[in-house]
Amino acid sequence: MPDPASSVLVLPGWQNSDADHWQTCWERRHGYRRVEQDDWQWPRRGDWMARLEEVLLAAPQPCWLVAHSLGCQLVAAWAAHTQQADRVRGALLVGPPDTEREDMPPQLHSWRPVPRRRLPFAATVVISTDDPYCASQRAGTMAQDWGATLVVAGAVGHLNSESGLGDWDAGHQLLIALRTA
């Protein structure tokens, strides 16, 4: 029987997730596997989508995706173009950025427009009311477009290391709920 931990793929955002990020904590604590990208500094949407597809095709069973920030946009973009959506059972999408904002760094311009197609699998989007990279109303619209359940975590910034979430047990409970629904 395949290892259930190996069926959870961690998708960090731009510049990767550092040692104190909840995604890294979940990898250490639960044995989840990070999808490594070739270029964390100048992410190209097509390259990141190809890498996700490659990892999913090599996976022994359908996977659960745990995405943060630009990783959320990766899931939406990949799902809109793949023929392999059945390889994903569901996704936890945390802190999606608004890559269409005028103040986004030039490294993220290839991530426009924001994919709006409904996801072909169950998803939960977790947002913050004071995320500096996406207004909560805009993030709520993305969740609605993607057909995802919306969870508002409160005023916790970008839901990253600077937010001080540590292992973020409340977030892990959302993943467990998604996996058992």
Side-chain angles (χ1 to χ4, degrees), residues 104-121:
M104 274 292 148
Q107 294 94 319
L108 304 181
H109 286 185
S110 74
W111 292 83
R112 294 175 178 172
V114 170
R116 299 292 183 181
R117 186 177 291 177
R118 183 178 187 84
L119 296 174
F121 40 78

Side-chain angles (χ1 to χ4, degrees), residues 25 45 49 51 64-66 70 73 81 84 88 101 112-113 117 121 143 149-150 164 172 181:
C25 293
R45 181 160 51 182
M49 289 168 56
R51 177 67 179 137
W64 298 88
L65 305 178
V66 176
L70 197 61
Q73 299 297 350
H81 290 95
Q84 306 297 326
V88 173
R101 286 175 33 169
R112 294 175 178 172
R117 186 177 291 177
F121 40 78
T149 300
L150 179 65
H172 198 255

Side-chain angles (χ1 to χ4, degrees), residues 3-55:
D3 176 13
S6 70
S7 68
V8 177
L9 299 177
V10 173
L11 307 172
W14 179 41
Q15 299 177 331
N16 207 346
S17 293
D18 63 29
D20 296 325
H21 196 287
W22 58 267
Q23 284 185 314
T24 306
C25 293
W26 290 9
E27 287 177 82
R28 285 190 303 259
R29 188 174 182 193
H30 304 289
Y32 301 156
R33 185 167 55 116
R34 181 176 305 222
V35 174
E36 292 289 345
Q37 297 293 345
D38 288 332
D39 193 344
W40 292 107
Q41 302 307 312
W42 285 86
R44 292 192 303 237
R45 181 160 51 182
D47 291 349
W48 279 34
M49 289 168 56
R51 177 67 179 137
L52 177 56
E53 182 98 355
E54 175 184 296
V55 170

Side-chain angles (χ1 to χ4, degrees), residues 95-98 101 104 128 130-136 138-139 142 158:
D98 182 357
R101 286 175 33 169
M104 274 292 148
S128 168
D130 64 348
D131 190 327
Y133 304 109
C134 189
S136 55
R138 181 92 162 134
M142 284 184 233
H158 192 46

